[in-house]
Amino acid sequence: MATDKYLEVELRYKIPDVEACLVRLKGLGVTVARTDHLIDDWYEPVAIKSLAEQRDWFDNQKGIAWRIRRSGEPGRERMEVTSKQLTDDNNHNSFHETTAKFASYDEAARAMVEKNYRNWLTVDKTRYYLTSTNPQIKDDEFELVIDHIAGLKEKIGVGACLEIERKGSESREQALKRIEIIAGLLGFSAEDQFEMSLTVTSMSALARF
């Protein structure tokens, strides 16, 4: 099993209406390049029996969560297997990540079982990959996506968010400042931020214990 490790820095902003947001972004030079259907199966140790235990394990004990992601249409599916762990900053806008390669979904799922992990959360979402012609928002410096989780808005009142990820090797603090500037250009403020990812936000409604 080959792995690669890297640091991810991003901020997430609530979107109450995806279509209205896309219209606004288009006026700012940001449009949809493509969409994808993603199914994320999340794995954690079998000993965890509640959401409170899961949050303590991941947030306080720096547990390593694993995600098996399937994307694309049936028969042409792609798969990515990724781990996530909070950095020492202990927040949900930067993570240590590793990737692992498996020949099939079944092989990846068996590897999780061998770790004594179980699938406790499945997230079904549509991802809108955005591209920019705005000279202040360069595609090679920022990755912008909108995630829309099926059925989540009906459960918790909001079901979509804009993720802005900084590309580059600068410090976490520098990256966050640049992301906040881009968010402001797109009409988002600190009040619109999700403290945690949309996936974490969805756990109270979608987790299985």
Side-chain angles (χ1 to χ4, degrees), residues 16-86:
D17 185 324
V18 173
E19 293 306 318
C21 179
L22 290 175
V23 170
R24 185 176 85 233
L25 294 181
K26 185 175 181 180
L28 297 168
V30 176
T31 56
V32 177
R34 63 185 177 91
T35 62
D36 207 351
H37 179 216
L38 308 177
I39 298 178
D40 292 342
D41 288 326
W42 286 91
Y43 285 78
E44 67 180 11
V46 297
I48 295 174
K49 302 299 183 183
S50 69
L51 188 56
E53 290 181 9
Q54 192 278 335
R55 287 178 171 165
D56 177 66
W57 169 77
F58 189 73
D59 293 357
N60 301 324
Q61 300 178 44
K62 300 293 190 298
I64 300 175
W66 282 89
R67 179 190 69 202
I68 302 177
R69 166 171 288 172
R70 289 168 288 169
S71 59
E73 300 302 320
R76 302 177 62 186
E77 285 186 338
R78 303 176 301 279
M79 184 184 70
E80 300 173 2
V81 181
T82 307
S83 74
K84 282 182 179 280
Q85 181 184 38
L86 288 181

Side-chain angles (χ1 to χ4, degrees), residues 3 7 10 12 19 44 67 89 95 108 129 144 146 174 202:
T3 62
L7 179 66
E10 66 181 22
R12 300 155 293 265
E19 293 306 318
E44 67 180 11
R67 179 190 69 202
D89 297 295
F95 301 89
Y129 294 88
L144 283 72
I146 291 174
Q174 291 172 319
S202 76

Side-chain angles (χ1 to χ4, degrees), residues 113-131:
V113 172
E114 290 169 1
K115 291 177 182 288
N116 210 25
Y117 274 42
R118 73 177 185 91
N119 174 213
W120 69 287
L121 176 70
T122 298
V123 177
D124 183 338
K125 63 186 176 184
T126 299
R127 171 162 288 181
Y128 300 79
Y129 294 88
L130 306 179
T131 187

Side-chain angles (χ1 to χ4, degrees), residues 5 9 23 41 47 57 76 78 97 108 110 153 157-158 163 177 180-182 188-189 195-196 198 206:
K5 188 171 184 177
V9 182
V23 170
D41 288 326
W57 169 77
R76 302 177 62 186
R78 303 176 301 279
E97 294 194 351
R110 283 196 299 271
K153 184 174 182 179
V158 61
E163 292 186 357
K177 287 179 181 178
E180 288 170 349
I181 291 171
I182 297 305
F188 293 91
S189 69
E195 181 181 351
M196 301 179 182
L198 190 61
L206 303 179

Side-chain angles (χ1 to χ4, degrees), residues 182-208:
I182 297 305
L185 291 173
L186 297 176
F188 293 91
S189 69
E191 293 180 355
D192 300 316
Q193 278 188 34
F194 274 116
E195 181 181 351
M196 301 179 182
S197 71
L198 190 61
T199 293
V200 174
T201 303
S202 76
M203 289 177 182
S204 59
L206 303 179
R208 301 184 297 272

